[in-house]
Amino acid sequence: LFAHNCVKGIQANREECAAQAENTLSLALVISMVFGYEVGVKVAKHAHKEGLSIKHAAIDLGVLTPEMANDLLDTYMLTDSK
């Protein structure tokens, strides 16, 4: 009954989902796994303070080049189960 009346027909807004995935501070975990906890925290704090994505904060701080950031923080690659 719930599925039929409330869930059936719901579709995700792909653009909004992609924007949310790219702007989450949780992407700092990827930075932490590659460069260490302290660097991940530094990038996350900078992103939060300046209103940046993790990708842009890492580039801004010189942790990643734009090319490295695009490869390492590719949300489609990080979430693809294949």
Side-chain angles (χ1 to χ4, degrees):
L1 186 62
F2 175 77
H4 177 71
N5 290 330
C6 299
V7 180
K8 185 178 179 181
I10 292 178
Q11 294 183 353
N13 180 328
R14 292 181 183 270
E15 293 82 21
E16 180 64 22
C17 290
Q20 292 291 327
E22 291 171 5
N23 289 308
T24 181
L25 291 177
S26 64
L27 285 176
L29 177 61
V30 177
I31 303 291
S32 293
M33 293 184 72
V34 175
F35 297 101
Y37 176 79
E38 291 80 15
V39 176
V41 169
K42 181 179 177 180
V43 171
K45 285 183 177 182
H46 182 67
H48 181 69
K49 180 180 177 188
E50 300 297 326
L52 300 171
S53 67
I54 292 296
K55 180 188 287 188
H56 288 103
I59 294 168
D60 194 39
L61 292 173
V63 175
L64 297 173
T65 65
E67 295 80 17
M68 290 171 60
N70 286 335
D71 290 341
L72 188 63
L73 301 173
D74 179 348
T75 55
Y76 289 104
M77 186 268 307
L78 291 170
T79 58
D80 188 9
S81 63
K82 295 177 184 168

